Amino acid sequence: MTDLQHRRSSTSTAAKSRQSASRRAANGQSAIRRRKRTSEPSRAACIGTVLFAIVAVPIVLISRRLRQGSNNNADASSNNSGRTIPRWNSNHKKTTAINPANIPTLDDLEAEERANQREARYQSLYKPKFDESSLGYDIYNCPSTPPKDYPKSWKSTDVLSNWNPNDVVTTTPRNIYQGLCVFDYQTQHTAALNYRNSEKPFIIRNDPKVTAVARRWGDDPEYLHRVFGDAKEFRTERSPTNQFMYYRIRGKKHQPKDYIPPPNDEIEMTFGEWLEHAIEKDGVALGDTDMIAKSKALKARRMSLMQQNEKRTDEEHGGDDPLEDDETKVKDEDSEEAKEEKYYYFRMNADLRSEKKEAKFIYDELPFFDPRKKDSQFYIVNPLEQRGINCRFGMRGITAANHFDMSRNTIAIFGGERRYVLAAPSQCEKMALYPRNHPSLRHSSFDWSNPDEWEEHPEFKDALINEVVLHEGDVMYLPTNWFHYIVNLSLNYQCNARSGTTFESTEVIEDCGFHMPSQ
């Protein structure tokens, strides 16, 4: 082979080698690209799987719990005698946003902050006057069973002179003659149950179910307004003064001679109008211009709705109002100016047999007062003796006369503040009560806020009483025949449930002139 041929052969071989290397490199890059394309969908699939697990699994668990809860609540409660708690099929459904990650929203955080502010205000204003060294027990860390002579009580004149019931504007701290224990539902549940089983009054706080309702009702004044509206009217007590006294007239032959009913009567009123007047009472008492403006806005809304209804009525009757005569013209006492001077006590009763929408709403909102549900076992002692749920929405200044009820009672506050002055059944003969044949039986016959009337009933000055201020989220257990005098310290929402009668105080009540039901 010549040198030229050798060089050509070497060049050709080298070129082939370079081409081969180039092809291998190109194939390698293609393989890398293929691997990348293959791996990228794999990562996306993994991410998608993780996200699906985060979102879907909690939803499945929540759905399962809801189904279980529905199944658990479907059965009515019954006892060995075969008596069954009645039930109804509710079409009312609450809409609740599902938050699988349980992350608080901005609204949740703001509501929490407002609740903390209200709690801080409450703790700063209402302070127990006596500590453990004076009471013999710490009301916030009570012994697991009721101590002797519990609850501590004081002379009526000392308690009422310290804080007159007509003084309902609290801007400086009050020293409270408090003898009742306060238990935490989550950490002191057993102790509270011991007091309940011993038929002693107490307060329980921090029950998440109760707190949730208090947040809905108390934190948003429009919440109940949206539910009850401005159209339907409800039973409402009305009085030209802040004094309210129960009475029931059963015919003239049962009335005492020269009997004069208390000044309060009953009317029908929408929730919207009651809310308007209640906010106004708070705004005027506190000098709060925002509250007064809110009340005026509600009034303007009500008046606009009234005008629309009147126009619609006129159109239906061809422009002639058949009710237009002298007898049906608005009375002076029903004028808008007169309404602003009166006090209104809004009432709503819910019964298991009721088909009314508002009754279903109350039972849905308050499952811990529903005798058919396990949530109620602590609060409804005897489900077969339950008497429905009674709600009383009060405005600032209203007082309900001292009285006792012949059944155990559980009282919950879902917004605002109420002062309760309490006395044991043993104090019955010192309470100057109307007798059992009187329209206001079981109620004190005089005004507790008037010191001049104390002098007319010297026995009352020796009565032993105590007091407590309840606020949103508080529940008070009140045994059978315990006296209670109620002062509304602000716009407030209160509901209570009764569940049977106990007979440990039968002797003192019958000695006082009242007959207990047979056991």
Side-chain angles (χ1 to χ4, degrees):
M1 179 183 292
T2 63
D3 185 57
L4 178 60
Q5 290 174 328
H6 180 77
R7 286 199 301 273
R8 287 177 176 172
S9 176
S10 298
T11 301
S12 176
T13 301
K16 291 179 180 179
S17 297
R18 286 195 297 271
Q19 292 174 0
S20 177
S22 178
R23 284 195 298 271
R24 286 195 300 272
N27 291 337
Q29 292 295 327
S30 298
I32 291 172
R33 284 194 294 269
R34 285 195 299 270
R35 284 196 298 271
K36 285 184 177 180
R37 285 195 297 269
T38 302
S39 62
E40 287 170 358
S42 179
R43 280 201 300 273
C46 291
I47 293 173
T49 301
V50 172
L51 290 175
F52 176 82
I54 292 174
V55 175
V57 171
I59 293 177
V60 171
L61 293 175
I62 291 172
S63 300
R64 183 177 300 169
R65 288 181 180 179
L66 290 174
R67 288 196 300 271
Q68 290 174 348
S70 176
N71 292 336
N72 290 338
N73 294 332
D75 296 331
S77 303
S78 61
N79 70 350
N80 293 334
S81 64
R83 294 173 61 191
T84 302
I85 299 296
R87 62 185 179 184
W88 38 255
N89 294 321
S90 173
N91 294 321
H92 174 79
K93 296 182 183 297
K94 291 183 290 184
T95 56
T96 304
I98 295 177
N99 185 358
N102 200 26
I103 299 174
T105 65
L106 180 60
D107 289 343
D108 293 334
L109 295 175
E110 290 177 348
E112 182 72 22
E113 177 61 24
R114 289 192 295 271
N116 290 338
Q117 291 175 356
R118 290 193 296 272
E119 181 65 25
R121 173 192 170 278
Y122 172 86
Q123 295 294 341
S124 68
L125 289 179
Y126 306 109
K127 298 179 178 296
K129 185 176 178 66
F130 303 99
D131 58 15
E132 182 177 3
S133 62
S134 300
L135 297 177
Y137 54 92
D138 179 355
I139 62 171
Y140 296 110
N141 189 27
C142 284
S144 59
T145 56
K148 184 180 179 181
D149 299 328
Y150 171 86
K152 178 72 174 179
S153 298
W154 299 266
K155 288 186 65 173
S156 60
T157 51
D158 291 341
V159 177
L160 298 176
S161 296
N162 177 66
W163 183 9
N164 188 282
N166 284 335
D167 186 355
V168 291
V169 181
T170 302
T171 56
T172 56
R174 301 282 187 183
N175 291 320
I176 308 299
Y177 281 73
Q178 181 169 339
L180 263 61
C181 289
V182 180
F183 295 109
D184 184 289
Y185 185 86
Q186 300 187 56
T187 62
Q188 299 171 300
H189 185 278
T190 300
L193 189 62
N194 291 338
Y195 281 64
R196 193 205 72 178
N197 293 341
S198 299
E199 293 300 336
K200 298 293 184 180
F202 62 89
I203 301 161
I204 194 157
R205 292 176 178 162
N206 199 29
D207 180 347
K209 300 181 294 295
V210 176
T211 301
V213 179
R215 291 287 176 85
R216 287 194 297 273
W217 292 23
D219 193 56
D220 179 10
E222 286 296 316
Y223 179 78
L224 293 179
H225 194 184
R226 290 191 293 271
V227 174
F228 301 132
D230 296 292
K232 184 171 182 177
E233 295 183 330
F234 298 89
R235 179 184 177 190
T236 305
E237 294 179 66
R238 174 183 62 179
S239 178
T241 74
N242 67 328
Q243 306 289 321
F244 283 72
M245 170 79 75
Y246 164 87
Y247 66 94
R248 178 178 295 177
I249 299 177
R250 302 177 185 272
K252 291 186 177 181
K253 67 178 182 179
H254 296 290
Q255 292 185 32
K257 185 178 181 180
D258 301 326
Y259 171 71
I260 300 176
N264 50 286
D265 59 4
E266 288 190 358
I267 61 171
E268 298 289 312
M269 176 177 282
T270 66
F271 178 85
E273 183 173 0
W274 172 83
L275 183 64
E276 167 198 329
H277 296 308
I279 291 176
E280 181 187 35
K281 280 288 191 290
D282 273 355
V284 171
L286 301 174
D288 191 315
T289 55
D290 289 339
M291 286 185 173
I292 294 173
K294 173 66 173 177
S295 175
K296 289 182 177 179
L298 288 173
K299 180 178 180 180
R301 176 179 174 177
R302 176 170 59 87
M303 300 302 291
S304 176
L305 291 172
M306 288 175 59
Q307 291 173 0
Q308 293 175 24
N309 291 336
E310 289 174 359
K311 181 179 179 181
R312 185 161 48 249
T313 301
D314 289 345
E315 291 174 350
E316 291 174 353
H317 294 87
D320 296 326
D321 188 349
L323 299 179
E324 187 72 34
D325 57 49
D326 292 338
E327 293 182 357
T328 58
K329 287 181 179 179
V330 176
K331 299 178 182 179
D332 289 340
E333 67 178 15
D334 295 324
S335 67
E336 292 301 319
E337 292 75 14
K339 284 182 178 180
E340 294 177 359
E341 301 299 322
K342 291 182 171 59
Y343 292 83
Y344 300 94
Y345 214 171
F346 189 89
R347 306 180 66 171
M348 182 173 296
N349 297 336
D351 185 86
L352 287 173
R353 296 176 177 83
S354 175
E355 292 297 326
K356 295 180 180 179
K357 183 179 72 172
E358 56 269 17
K360 295 180 174 66
F361 169 80
I362 292 295
Y363 274 98
D364 282 345
E365 286 284 293
L366 313 180
F368 43 85
F369 280 171
D370 187 338
R372 301 163 299 179
K373 297 182 179 179
K374 292 182 178 180
D375 286 347
S376 71
Q377 290 179 350
F378 180 85
Y379 300 111
I380 306 298
V381 183
N382 186 346
L384 293 173
E385 297 296 329
Q386 61 81 30
R387 296 172 59 183
I389 300 174
N390 305 304
C391 296
R392 302 290 183 271
F393 301 163
M395 60 173 56
R396 184 185 296 266
I398 286 178
T399 64
N402 175 64
H403 64 284
F404 73 92
D405 300 309
M406 290 183 172
S407 61
R408 56 168 71 92
N409 209 347
T410 305
I411 302 163
I413 308 297
F414 302 115
E417 297 168 350
R418 281 190 175 204
R419 177 188 179 193
Y420 283 80
V421 184
L422 308 173
S426 61
Q427 304 302 301
C428 185
E429 292 186 346
K430 301 175 182 179
M431 292 295 170
L433 302 176
Y434 286 118
R436 61 190 177 97
N437 60 345
H438 192 277
S440 296
L441 76 166
R442 298 180 286 104
H443 286 66
S444 289
S445 58
F446 66 100
D447 179 4
W448 277 26
S449 67
N450 188 349
D452 291 339
E453 296 194 31
W454 304 348
E455 300 299 328
E456 299 174 9
H457 301 279
E459 72 279 14
F460 173 70
K461 294 193 291 184
D462 293 327
L464 298 178
I465 64 177
N466 60 75
E467 64 181 339
V468 65
V469 174
L470 302 182
H471 70 320
E472 61 181 64
D474 285 350
V475 182
M476 179 170 68
Y477 180 75
L478 203 60
T480 302
N481 296 331
W482 272 74
F483 292 93
H484 46 293
Y485 173 75
I486 306 168
V487 182
N488 292 262
L489 299 176
S490 68
L491 183 163
N492 63 81
Y493 306 120
Q494 174 263 317
C495 295
N496 65 282
R498 299 179 186 177
S499 57
T501 298
T502 55
F503 299 92
E504 65 277 352
S505 58
T506 296
E507 184 176 353
V508 294
I509 291 299
E510 293 191 344
D511 287 346
C512 197
F514 299 91
H515 290 317
M516 290 288 292
S518 59
Q519 299 187 33

